[in-house]
Amino acid sequence: MGIQIEYLSLAELKSQPLAWQNKVLGLVSFVDAAGVYEAQKINGQIPGIFLGASVLSGAESASEILLSDESSMDTKQPLISGEQGQIRYRCNGDLLFGVISLDEASELIITSPGNPFSALQQATEIAYQQIFTLLDDLGFPNVYRFWNYMANINGSDGDDQQNLERYRQFNIGRKNVFVKMGREHGQQLPAACALGLKGGPLTIAFLAGKAPAIAIENPRQVKAYNYPEQYGPRTPSFSRATLVHIEQKACLFISGTASIVGHETLHAEDITGQTQETLVNLEAVVSEANRVQGGAVFDLSNACFRVYVRHAADLDSIRETMRNHFSHQVQAVFVQADICREELLIEIEATLQQTSIAHAA
């Protein structure tokens, strides 16, 4: 079975008929305080994360929905919903989408004074170990995409020996499990993002499948897993994008992308410069994916973007810079969130699809 991706408002999501809901693998949605209550009316069989964050613009695209596309199949195969540990998931014969939320005050976390490992590192290790155990148990060996959200990403708790920034604590936990579970394949790491919200548990969504994937890197950037030690004792475990063929479609899952060249942040305190550099990096990733694919398969100008904005006051500048870059209004949702480096003001992610592999040059 293939995959179809749609972007809807929360109201549109709630109003979809049951036949449509029965095709949903999972979703990632941003909602305000009132939206959290409304989200409870969504079909409970659908694994989804509803993240409390201010949607600054583009509320009509605030929910990214991944659906099982049965158009190429002679017979329809129903989705199977399940739970394992703290994970809720849905899968068909080819794809699995799952979500897990783990509070750092959970009884699973050891908070004794002598424990050198922070609550966030422990929560990360527990969550990722559960994820990879599930995928091994159900036979979905390839992860295409992770979405990671946590509170106070640039802060430090003061409860571990090194008083590390929380994003670095997260990276330690994630890397430890990748290595332990035999997932640290270097050249074949999945796409990912990691963003900071005002509060809430560590929340992770993931998409995995049986078809192999190709990790895509940005020629303008050092691979994240090769970052120097100045960015923390454990490097981030992700690639810049993942290219995968699912049935008759090529899909490109682009990681959260920011104003980084080599491994250094550029245009500090300059939102226009950071936005422009981020768009250049996105174009570089798409160009590399098209090179690997062997033709102009993906076109960034047709993408729906999720734009994470540190300061709401920067919204107008970001939107104008994006309009100038693409020469037209783009589809995007702008969400207020903190980025993994304190000096970064913006991060953009996207998912691109090709209509048919047969159209590739």
Side-chain angles (χ1 to χ4, degrees):
M1 291 186 180
I3 190 169
Q4 178 183 346
I5 300 171
E6 295 185 11
Y7 299 88
L8 301 175
S9 68
L10 181 60
E12 290 173 321
L13 180 59
K14 287 195 309 171
S15 66
Q16 296 302 312
L18 182 61
W20 181 91
Q21 294 183 33
N22 287 339
K23 295 196 304 177
V24 176
L25 273 165
L27 61 94
V28 177
S29 180
F30 289 91
V31 297
D32 57 18
V36 173
Y37 171 77
E38 292 299 315
Q40 295 174 358
K41 301 177 183 179
I42 306 297
N43 185 338
Q45 294 296 307
I46 299 174
I49 52 176
F50 296 91
L51 300 152
S54 297
V55 177
L56 305 175
S57 180
E60 66 276 6
S61 303
S63 299
E64 182 176 18
I65 303 100
L66 292 83
L67 299 103
S68 178
D69 185 357
E70 300 169 338
S71 60
S72 62
M73 302 293 291
D74 294 330
T75 59
K76 294 184 178 181
Q77 178 182 350
L79 295 177
I80 298 172
S81 301
E83 296 184 12
Q84 181 167 306
Q86 276 68 45
I87 298 173
R88 295 174 55 242
Y89 68 88
R90 220 173 197 188
C91 64
N92 57 30
D94 301 309
L95 297 165
L96 181 147
F97 183 93
V99 298
I100 181 170
S101 291
L102 194 59
D103 195 297
E104 293 172 46
S106 165
E107 61 183 14
L108 299 175
I109 307 299
I110 300 172
T111 57
S112 60
N115 186 357
F117 307 116
S118 72
L120 177 58
Q121 178 183 331
Q122 292 181 67
T124 304
E125 292 193 17
I126 292 168
Y128 269 87
Q129 183 151 334
Q130 287 195 18
I131 290 168
F132 289 138
T133 298
L134 172 71
L135 298 181
D136 288 345
D137 288 348
L138 297 184
F140 291 89
N142 304 300
V143 184
Y144 305 142
R145 180 77 165 86
F146 279 111
W147 295 260
N148 303 283
Y149 301 92
M150 65 204 75
N152 192 26
I153 193 170
N154 302 128
S156 59
D157 303 321
D159 62 354
D160 68 315
Q161 288 181 337
Q162 296 176 295
N163 197 26
L164 284 174
E165 179 190 48
R166 282 171 55 81
Y167 177 60
R168 299 184 182 194
Q169 297 173 27
F170 166 80
N171 278 334
I172 293 173
R174 175 169 60 174
K175 177 75 75 175
N176 285 349
V177 180
F178 268 72
V179 172
K180 177 182 177 181
M181 302 292 286
R183 296 278 181 162
E184 187 64 19
H185 301 312
Q187 302 296 326
Q188 289 300 321
L189 292 173
C193 64
L195 283 304
L197 305 178
K198 290 183 179 179
L202 172 68
T203 303
I204 303 170
F206 56 98
L207 177 68
K210 295 183 177 178
I214 301 171
I216 302 295
E217 294 296 339
N218 183 349
R220 305 179 77 236
Q221 296 177 318
V222 172
K223 297 176 179 64
Y225 51 84
N226 286 336
Y227 275 175
E229 193 173 348
Q230 70 191 77
Y231 298 105
R234 288 290 226 175
T235 56
S237 298
F238 71 92
S239 63
R240 303 299 178 183
T242 303
L243 171 63
V244 60
H245 295 156
I246 304 172
E247 283 295 321
Q248 296 303 308
K249 290 182 179 179
C251 296
L252 184 67
F253 300 96
I254 302 181
S255 299
T257 302
S259 180
I260 297 172
V261 176
H263 59 75
E264 297 179 339
T265 301
L266 298 189
H267 314 292
E269 301 182 7
D270 176 2
I271 187 58
T272 299
Q274 286 201 19
T275 304
Q276 290 172 336
E277 200 72 62
T278 299
L279 294 172
V280 171
N281 276 330
L282 287 167
E283 296 282 8
V285 171
V286 171
S287 178
E288 178 66 9
N290 284 335
R291 184 193 68 78
V292 171
Q293 179 68 16
V297 172
F298 302 108
D299 183 352
L300 198 62
S301 65
N302 296 326
C304 180
F305 299 97
R306 179 166 288 150
V307 185
Y308 299 103
V309 181
R310 185 179 289 275
H311 303 301
D314 290 334
L315 176 64
D316 289 344
S317 295
I318 294 170
R319 294 175 69 181
E320 181 180 4
T321 303
M322 293 181 70
R323 278 195 300 268
N324 291 338
H325 182 88
F326 292 106
S327 302
H328 63 83
Q329 185 76 39
V330 297
Q331 184 181 5
V333 56
F334 298 83
V335 178
Q336 188 166 14
D338 291 331
I339 321 299
C340 63
R341 294 187 188 180
E342 198 164 14
E343 68 272 19
L344 287 172
L345 306 175
I346 179 175
E347 179 172 306
I348 303 176
E349 64 182 52
T351 302
L352 283 69
Q353 287 187 282
Q354 173 200 6
T355 303
S356 173
I357 296 173
H359 292 167

